[in-house]
């Protein structure tokens, strides 16, 4: 340390959010055709044109559509000629937002467009997700995402942290809340159904969804110009746990807790939490790890149990949390995104509105 | 609206992966019916073993044999096995802590039903009849009464260790080209070529992808282009591709179809390869039942003026 004071980092806010109506299939449109209306909508909310955006970052995965470099085609939707400052993460858009946030902190740009999309309907998402596993010891066994979540759920039941009735209630509450969300895919009274992989039933698992989302970030005064009540990002952090499932305590999420701590989530209470918990059992784990008690409104959007467009579902959590700050329904919100089996990777962002 | 086009798309990839010393010992061990773990500096035994301590990231490599028996730490009943999974009949996914290990291994348990499985139950390895040095050399686990099985006393050094494994994978997709490309493909079936015009810059894109990459807008207006066009640039191919019955040398060219603002590429025929030139006017040649022109040949018109296609280079 030189003793010089570090400059105060500039404030960055989510100023606009848009998403598709998530559906089981979007086979009538290509990815860019599905994405374009969302890009136009999010730009229209700020009055910005594509050419005004300082940095663009996207999140998607080639494994969803089964095509190499599929994000390059989606780039047509943002008007990438003449050349723009652009980046892509082969991950959920929440991680693209993290990259854009750091870009804005460096003062290289004042505004950023973050978008992500995925078409789970193109293949069999349960099989596709096995390809993200350790290729030596796990992937050759083809354990699918539901199977791995079910192992975690059983560990949770054995630990006395939940039971099947409590899990069913998580799904029921999510889909009841989703009735107020015009973008949700599954709403209202959805049958709990048969076991997919025991102890998880259909109602504990996310729908197979296609969809896209987009967010605009802006720094400092620019944010106030573009949005009446910006959702200031007070902190973001993401953490990962050991690759091998048998090394981890599956009933806990130390990486989510650590990310939340570094994002400043525990400094003051939050009133809202948008959790990316594709399985009901994962909400139980996250509530505990993130210290969310009954006073916090969890997943008012319905969460990933109501719509789970893979690669966009995490960015949507940040967008939903921000939208509630924009509308004045929340003053301080926590947004969470996950990736990998059994909550392996976790990102936490803390968003605040200006005091009223 | 015409029917949505779709077609099966299979992606298969046989990755060859090299093994580090610990992975090599573990997988070679499975081939020889020996289960090896690795010891961390704080004395824990990890099975399956890794080359780096998951907590400290320190390199580790001390091999320890563990028993082929163990205890289920958690489980999940799979009523409908999927392709590639260890058993074709309903089974339990299990994490098993083998006797002598401190961490658990994921695999399948062959059991008659969910009511015969519980956390804490004792299980043992069922070896695959044919073993190659892969995690699938453990066919699955099966219920086991009693205490730890007997290790073989193996040191972990093998005469003929594996250095790499092949991990084949196959994923099945349904390819759907979307609105713009479906229109393009449907028109081709009538031997027509359609592009789409940007409502803002008025450029006609062919094949259309549904968006103008300059304006970021949907290209909604359908425009028929061609059938004739102009060679904007070309190359001479001298190497024969596998399974291709075209004689070399031949010419591959960018062709700006009349009315299009983006060049397509196609083979040029009907003219000696060394007489193809920029500005050459060409027309498509269709063969029976073809879904796209087999090649383009000179149309007999005078060459196009450079100024008419310089923007498309
Ligand atoms: Zn245009």
């Amino acid at each position: 340390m030189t003793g010089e004071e570090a400059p105060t980092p500039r404030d960055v806010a989510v100023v606009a959010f848009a998403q598709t109506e998530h559906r089981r299939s979007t086979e009538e449109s290509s990815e860019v055709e599905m994405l374009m209306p969302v890009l136009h909508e999010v730009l229209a909310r700020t009055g910005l044109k594509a050419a005004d955006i300082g940095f663009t970052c996207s999140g998607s995965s080639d494994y969803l559509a089964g095509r190499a470099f599929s994000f390059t085609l989606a780039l047509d939707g943002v008007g990438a000629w003449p050349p723009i400052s652009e980046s892509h993460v082969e991950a959920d858009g929440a991680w693209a937002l993290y990259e854009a946030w750091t870009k804005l902190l460096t003062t290289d740009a004042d505004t950023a467009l973050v978008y992500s999309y995925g078409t789970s309907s193109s293949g069999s998402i349960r099989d596709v997700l096995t390809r993200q596993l350790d290729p030596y010891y796990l992937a050759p066994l083809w354990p699918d995402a539901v199977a791995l979540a079910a192992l975690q759920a059983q560990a949770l039941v054995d630990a006395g942290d939940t039971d099947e009735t409590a899990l069913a209630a998580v799904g029921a509450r999510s889909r009841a809340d989703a009735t107020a969300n015009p973008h949700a895919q599954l709403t209202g009274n959805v049958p709990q159904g048969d076991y997919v992989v025991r102890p998880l039933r259909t109602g504990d698992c996310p729908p197979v969804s296609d969809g896209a989302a987009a967010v605009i970030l802006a720094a400092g005064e620019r944010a106030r110009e573009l949005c009446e009540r910006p959702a200031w990002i007070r902190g973001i952090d993401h953490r990962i746990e050991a690759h091998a499932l048998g090394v981890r305590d599956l009933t806990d999420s130390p990486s989510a807790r650590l990310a939340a701590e570094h994002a400043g989530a525990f400094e003051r209470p939050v009133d809202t939490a948008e959790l990316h918990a594709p399985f009901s059992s994962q909400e139980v784990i996250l509530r505990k790890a993130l210290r969310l008690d009954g006073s916090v409104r969890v997943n008012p959007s319905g969460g990933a149990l109501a719509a789970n467009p893979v690669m966009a579902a995490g960015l949507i959590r940040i967008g939903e949390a921000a939208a509630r700050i924009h509308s004045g329904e929340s003053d301080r919100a926590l947004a969470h995104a996950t990736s990998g089996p059994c909550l392996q990777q976790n990102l936490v962002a803390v968003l605040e509105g200006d005091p009223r | 609206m015409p029917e949505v086009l779709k077609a099966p798309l299979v992606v298969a990839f046989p990755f060859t992966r090299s093994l580090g010393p610990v992975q090599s010992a573990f997988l070679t061990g499975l081939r020889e019916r020996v289960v090896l773990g690795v010891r961390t500096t704080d004395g824990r035994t990890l099975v399956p073993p890794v080359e780096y301590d998951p907590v400290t990231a320190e390199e580790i490599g001390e091999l320890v044999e563990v028993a082929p028996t163990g205890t289920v730490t958690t489980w999940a009943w799979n009523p409908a096995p999927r392709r590639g999974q260890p058993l074709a009949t309903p089974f339990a996914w299990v994490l098993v802590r083998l006797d002598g290990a401190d961490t658990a291994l994921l695999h399948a348990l062959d059991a008659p039903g969910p009511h015969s499985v519980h956390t804490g139950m004792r299980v043992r390895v069922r070896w695959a009849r044919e073993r190659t040095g892969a995690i699938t050399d453990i066919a699955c686990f099966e219920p086991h009464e009693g205490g730890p099985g007997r290790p073989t006393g193996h040191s972990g050094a093998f005469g003929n260790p594996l250095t790499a494994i092949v991990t084949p994978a196959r994923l099945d997709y349904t390819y759907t080209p979307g609105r713009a490309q479906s229109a393009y493909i449907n028109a081709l079936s009538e031997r027509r070529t359609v592009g789409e015009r940007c409502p803002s810059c008025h450029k006609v894109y062919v094949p259309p992808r549904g968006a103008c990459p300059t304006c970021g807008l949907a290209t909604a207006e359908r425009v028929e282009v061609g059938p004739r066009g102009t060679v904007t640039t070309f190359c001479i191919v001298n190497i024969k591709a596998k399974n291709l019955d075209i004689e070399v040398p031949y010419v591959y060219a960018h062709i700006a179809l009349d009315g299009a603002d983006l060049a397509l590429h196609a083979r040029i025929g009907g003219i000696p390869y060394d007489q193809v030139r920029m500005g050459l006017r060409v027309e498509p040649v269709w063969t029976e039942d073809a879904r796209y022109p087999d090649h383009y040949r000179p149309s007999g018109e005078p060459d196009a003026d450079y100024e008419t296609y310089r923007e498309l280079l």
Side-chain angles (χ1 to χ4, degrees):
Chain A
M1 295 295 284
T2 60
E4 280 174 47
E5 234 176 274
T8 312
R10 61 205 314 226
D11 286 327
V12 174
V14 176
V15 295
F17 168 55
Q19 60 182 318
T20 50
E21 278 175 37
H22 311 301
R23 291 190 283 134
R24 177 62 183 82
S25 166
T26 50
E27 62 182 15
E28 73 287 355
S29 46
S30 66
E31 285 167 330
V32 69
E33 287 166 352
M34 173 180 75
L35 181 62
M36 234 175 336
V38 172
L39 294 171
H40 296 162
E41 185 184 336
V42 80
L43 287 165
R45 279 172 193 241
T46 55
L48 291 170
K49 301 214 167 10
D52 303 329
I53 296 290
F55 180 61
T56 298
C57 197
S58 61
S60 66
S61 172
D62 284 350
Y63 277 78
L64 290 177
R67 278 203 312 287
F69 297 104
S70 58
F71 76 93
T72 59
L73 298 182
L75 257 184
D76 284 351
V78 298
W81 180 263
I84 58 171
S85 173
E86 182 270 340
S87 184
H88 172 258
V89 298
E90 190 77 8
D92 187 289
W95 277 264
L97 184 140
Y98 183 90
E99 182 177 335
W101 175 69
T102 55
K103 183 84 170 179
L104 263 57
L105 289 183
T106 66
T107 72
D108 275 357
D110 293 329
T111 52
L113 169 64
V114 180
Y115 65 90
S116 63
Y117 61 92
T119 53
S120 305
S121 67
S122 305
S124 163
I125 190 69
R126 285 174 71 181
D127 298 327
V128 167
L129 289 178
T130 65
R131 300 303 94 190
Q132 70 180 333
L133 301 170
D134 152 37
Y136 300 97
Y137 304 152
L138 284 183
L141 304 173
W142 294 83
D144 58 277
V146 182
L148 298 174
L151 284 165
Q152 185 173 37
Q154 184 62 43
L156 212 59
V157 170
D158 287 336
D161 287 359
T162 193
D163 56 32
E164 290 192 27
T165 311
L167 293 180
V170 170
R173 194 215 70 238
S174 297
R175 283 145 189 158
D177 282 345
T179 53
N181 177 357
H183 304 279
Q185 182 183 343
L186 281 189
T187 60
N189 204 356
V190 174
Q192 187 62 359
D194 295 330
Y195 288 118
V196 185
V197 179
R198 183 175 175 147
L200 296 180
R201 296 174 182 271
T202 322
D204 295 307
C205 302
V208 174
S209 314
D210 290 358
V215 154
I216 290 177
L217 301 181
E221 279 311 303
R222 198 80 183 93
R224 290 184 208 282
E225 289 163 21
L226 296 171
C227 179
E228 206 167 307
R229 190 167 197 251
W232 301 106
I233 300 172
R234 294 303 180 208
I236 311 186
D237 196 64
H238 61 105
R239 299 281 158 163
I240 182 170
E241 288 169 47
H243 208 139
L245 291 169
V247 171
R248 294 166 48 191
D249 172 3
L250 294 178
T251 67
D252 194 9
S253 182
S255 56
R257 186 183 300 111
L258 192 58
E261 190 185 320
H262 282 257
F266 302 140
E267 288 165 14
R268 283 189 298 118
V270 297
D271 54 43
T272 305
E274 277 285 341
L275 305 179
H276 183 198
F279 298 92
S280 58
S281 43
Q282 295 178 340
E283 183 180 306
V284 176
I285 294 165
L286 290 168
R287 276 178 183 264
K288 187 172 72 169
L290 299 171
R291 303 179 198 163
L292 303 171
D293 61 23
S295 70
V296 181
R297 183 85 166 90
V298 172
N299 285 353
S301 67
L305 285 166
N308 189 39
V310 176
M311 296 300 136
L315 180 64
I316 290 168
R317 304 284 71 79
I318 301 176
E320 289 281 6
R324 287 180 82 80
I325 288 173
H326 296 161
S327 70
E329 290 161 288
S330 168
D331 291 319
R332 180 171 156 92
L334 179 152
H336 160 266
T338 196
S339 182
C342 301
L343 302 171
Q344 188 195 9
Q345 304 174 49
N346 294 284
L347 179 149
V348 172
V350 176
L351 307 172
E352 279 183 0
D354 285 322
R356 290 180 285 192
Chain B
M1 184 174 154
E3 200 186 337
V4 174
L5 291 178
K6 47 178 127 176
L9 170 69
V10 176
V11 179
F13 38 100
F15 275 125
T16 300
R17 299 182 181 275
S18 56
L19 299 173
V22 172
Q23 291 168 322
S24 166
F26 176 69
L27 293 178
T28 307
L30 295 184
R31 189 184 71 194
E32 311 299 328
R33 300 186 189 222
V34 174
V35 187
L36 295 165
V38 67
R39 190 161 284 160
T40 62
T41 38
D42 65 359
R44 290 176 312 130
T45 300
L46 310 181
V47 180
V50 289
E51 262 122 16
Y52 294 89
D53 187 305
V55 178
T56 64
E58 187 182 11
E59 188 172 351
I60 48 178
E62 186 194 344
L63 299 169
V64 192
E65 192 188 358
V66 298
T69 53
T71 303
V72 170
T73 63
T74 186
W75 63 283
W77 185 257
N78 183 19
R82 302 171 74 79
R83 185 176 69 198
Q85 294 182 342
L87 294 167
T89 50
F91 65 90
W93 290 105
V94 280
L95 278 167
V96 175
R97 190 168 57 233
L98 292 169
D99 297 320
D102 293 292
T103 61
L105 172 92
L106 180 101
H107 220 294
L109 170 67
D110 188 5
H115 301 291
S116 60
V117 186
H118 62 274
T119 297
M121 82 181 279
R122 300 281 299 155
V123 296
R124 67 169 170 245
V125 169
R126 180 191 296 167
W127 295 104
R129 206 166 295 132
E130 310 228 328
R131 295 180 309 283
T132 60
I135 191 66
T136 47
D137 288 354
I138 297 176
C140 63
F141 283 88
E142 58 191 25
H144 168 71
E145 302 287 328
R150 195 182 296 250
T152 63
H154 204 284
S155 70
F158 297 94
N160 178 25
L162 291 165
T163 55
I165 56 169
V166 179
T167 57
R170 171 188 165 142
L171 293 170
D172 288 64
Y173 296 93
T174 301
Y175 178 69
T176 56
R179 179 193 57 79
Q181 292 182 81
S182 290
Y184 175 75
I185 294 165
N186 281 328
L188 277 182
S189 70
E190 298 163 10
R191 300 195 171 187
R192 296 182 303 118
T193 301
V194 299
E196 286 187 350
R197 193 189 311 274
C198 172
S200 175
C201 67
H202 308 296
K203 280 196 169 157
V204 173
Y205 292 94
V206 55
R209 298 206 300 246
C212 171
T214 308
C215 307
L217 292 174
T219 51
E221 184 195 345
R222 202 157 289 157
V223 182
E224 187 159 343
V225 298
R228 289 183 172 180
T230 301
V231 171
T232 62
T233 185
F234 63 94
C235 66
I236 300 165
V237 179
N238 285 291
I239 294 172
K240 202 172 162 75
K242 212 168 156 183
N243 306 324
L244 199 66
D245 53 9
I246 300 167
E247 288 308 314
V248 292
Y250 65 88
V251 171
Y252 211 68
H254 276 191
I255 298 161
L257 293 180
D258 294 344
D261 291 294
L262 200 67
L264 284 169
H265 42 91
R267 184 168 64 90
I268 303 293
I271 179 173
Y273 72 91
D274 54 0
Q275 289 177 28
V276 174
R277 56 201 180 266
M278 290 170 77
L280 180 70
R281 294 285 296 159
V282 291
E283 64 188 11
V285 177
W286 293 82
T287 51
E288 192 119 356
D289 295 334
R291 287 186 286 181
Y292 50 87
D294 178 71
H295 64 274
Y296 283 75
R297 67 176 173 215
S299 67
E301 297 162 279
D303 283 6
D305 186 42
Y306 179 67
E307 291 303 318
T308 64
Y309 62 87
R310 62 177 292 182
E311 292 286 322
L312 298 174
L313 279 173

